[in-house]
């Protein structure tokens, strides 16, 4: 009975995957025929069904760009970039879309130490930092255990094995630090034509206006409102429905 259930689940998964591939091809054909609304509808449905990839986000962004929805285009280019950071087509189209934004923020300079530290963290993904760390700690613990039961207790060998452990702990620390930074550094894109940023939710004073495609860091959420920090350092509140997280 269990074997039959496994076979059934496998077949069902294959059919579901084949259906998604067929719909993806349909969307690609619609895009090639310049039926951008139809292509976007299919891509959006696939995303709602849980299919996530750099390709589908990239194609969705292309549809929005063709339909002159710059904010949504930038949002989905950013989503594609998050999944494939070095893809040249994604980076080129994102740059093209960003060139059409109205707002040009003067970015607050980042201290040199922070830039260097971020560069170090970007060398590996979260999973890679943590995996390497666990492997090094395991190897160190195993080697130290064998060292303690061996007859040859060389100080050099002890220090060498201990260094592996220290490096492993360092990798684990950096991996966890990167995870925490990404969780606390959620970015979003303004997807409406424009909106006034307020000093506080609901009845706050209008501080300044931002336009479609502007990127900001989400600092806080409250009752349908988002407190956002823009690249020039300015902060304020805007309605959550006008802003979508990357």
């Amino acid at each position: 009975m269990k074997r039959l259930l496994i076979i059934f689940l496998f077949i069902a998964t294959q059919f579901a995957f084949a259906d998604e591939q067929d719909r993806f091809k349909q969307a690609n054909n619609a895009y090639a025929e310049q039926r951008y609304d139809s292509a976007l509808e299919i891509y959006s449905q696939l995303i709602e069904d849980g299919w996530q990839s750099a390709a589908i986000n990239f194609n969705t962004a292309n549809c929005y760009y063709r339909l002159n929805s710059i904010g949504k285009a930038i949002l989905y280019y950013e989503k594609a970039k998050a999944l494939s950071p070095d893809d040249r087509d994604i980076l080129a189209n994102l740059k093209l879309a960003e060139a059409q934004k109205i707002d040009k923020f003067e970015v607050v300079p980042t201290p040199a130490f922070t830039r260097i530290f971020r560069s170090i963290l970007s060398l590996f993904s979260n999973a890679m930092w943590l995996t390497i760390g666990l492997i090094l700690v395991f190897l160190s613990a195993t080697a130290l255990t064998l060292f303690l039961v061996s007859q040859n207790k060389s100080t050099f060998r002890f220090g060498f094995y201990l260094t592996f452990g220290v490096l492993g702990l360092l990798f684990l620390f950096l991996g966890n630090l990167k995870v925490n930074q990404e969780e606390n550094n959620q970015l979003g894109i303004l997807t409406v034509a424009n909106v006034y940023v307020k000093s506080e939710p609901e009845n706050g004073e209008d501080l300044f206006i931002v336009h479609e495609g502007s990127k900001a860091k989400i600092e806080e959420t409250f009752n349908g409102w988002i407190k956002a920090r823009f690249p020039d350092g300015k902060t304020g509140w805007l309605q959550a429905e006008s802003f979508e997280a990357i």
Side-chain angles (χ1 to χ4, degrees):
M1 184 67 183
K2 181 186 262 186
R3 182 176 296 177
L4 288 175
L5 180 60
I6 292 173
I7 293 172
F8 173 78
L9 290 174
F10 176 77
I11 294 173
T13 301
Q14 294 302 308
F15 273 115
F17 180 74
D19 177 62
E20 288 178 345
Q21 290 291 334
D22 287 341
R23 286 192 289 163
F24 187 65
K25 289 178 181 178
Q26 289 173 15
N28 291 344
N29 292 335
Y31 183 89
E33 295 168 0
Q34 299 184 8
R35 293 186 289 113
Y36 304 122
D37 284 313
S38 299
L40 179 60
E41 184 179 352
I42 300 173
Y43 289 136
S44 299
Q45 187 60 56
L46 285 169
I47 291 172
E48 286 182 16
D49 291 344
W51 192 13
Q52 282 294 332
S53 70
I56 195 169
N57 284 318
F58 178 68
N59 291 1
T60 302
N62 288 337
C63 288
Y64 277 119
Y65 184 82
R66 293 291 186 178
L67 295 169
N68 295 315
S69 183
I70 299 302
K72 287 280 193 177
I74 291 174
L75 173 68
Y76 280 92
Y77 283 135
E78 289 281 4
K79 287 177 179 287
K81 178 184 170 184
L83 295 173
S84 185
D86 300 320
D87 188 291
R88 293 182 178 180
D89 290 334
I90 293 172
L91 296 176
N93 284 20
L94 175 59
K95 185 176 180 180
L96 191 65
E98 287 184 328
Q100 299 192 35
K101 293 190 305 181
I102 294 176
D103 297 323
K104 308 295 181 184
F105 296 102
E106 291 186 11
V107 180
V108 177
T110 305
F113 174 78
T114 303
R115 292 199 305 270
I116 294 171
F117 190 67
R118 287 177 179 172
S119 297
I120 293 172
L121 287 182
S122 67
L123 291 174
F124 303 111
S125 65
N126 303 341
M128 186 62 71
W129 279 112
L130 296 173
T131 300
I132 294 174
L134 288 171
I135 291 173
L136 289 175
V137 169
F138 174 77
L139 290 175
S140 175
T142 303
L144 286 171
T145 301
L146 294 174
F147 172 81
L148 291 174
V149 299
S150 69
Q151 299 297 322
N152 182 15
K153 290 184 170 56
S154 164
T155 304
F156 173 79
R157 286 178 60 201
F158 177 78
F160 182 75
Y161 299 151
L162 187 62
T163 300
F164 268 85
V166 172
L167 282 174
L169 292 175
L170 178 61
F171 270 71
L172 290 174
F173 170 76
L174 292 174
N176 280 293
L177 186 63
K178 187 173 183 181
V179 169
N180 291 332
Q181 280 193 353
E182 290 184 357
E183 288 178 350
N184 297 323
N185 194 38
Q186 188 175 19
L187 301 174
I189 303 293
L190 190 72
T191 55
V192 298
N194 59 69
V195 67
Y196 279 98
V197 180
K198 296 181 176 292
S199 58
E200 59 184 49
E202 302 292 347
N203 300 318
E205 175 188 355
D206 291 340
L207 299 176
F208 52 93
I209 189 171
V210 289
H211 299 84
E212 186 178 15
S214 294
K215 183 193 289 187
K217 177 184 176 183
I218 302 172
E219 292 200 330
E220 189 178 343
T221 58
F222 174 76
N223 198 25
W225 288 78
I226 288 174
K227 185 179 182 182
R229 179 177 294 276
F230 293 87
D232 59 358
K234 293 180 180 178
T235 61
W237 293 85
L238 61 159
Q239 289 183 314
E241 61 188 17
S242 64
F243 196 78
E244 292 190 42
I246 295 172

